[in-house]
Amino acid sequence: ARMTESSFKAGKNRLSFSLYLMAYPAAAIEYVVVHELAHIRHHDHSPAFYAEVERYLPDWRARRELLKN
């Protein structure tokens, strides 16, 4: 499992996050939370999914990059 692993279980409406996520900056954590919340409406990584993420985090690409360091 990746250190930043998170998931959304659609059938149970349950979000879960790795404890290792706490080692990242708040901006990165916020991205992961918004990313998983977007899965409530969009169960894929379609353009509509990313439009939903961008609605709340216009700088989501920069925040995602924080997870790669």
Side-chain angles (χ1 to χ4, degrees), residues 11-55:
K12 299 182 187 260
N13 287 330
R14 181 180 304 159
L15 295 172
S16 60
F17 302 94
S18 168
L19 289 176
Y20 294 108
L21 193 58
M22 294 180 355
Y24 288 87
I29 296 169
E30 289 168 356
Y31 164 73
V32 172
V33 171
V34 170
H35 178 104
E36 294 307 328
L37 288 172
H39 280 304
I40 293 171
R41 290 191 178 167
H42 307 280
H43 296 183
D44 56 16
H45 290 105
S46 65
F49 168 85
Y50 284 107
E52 185 77 20
V53 172
E54 191 156 349
R55 179 178 170 198

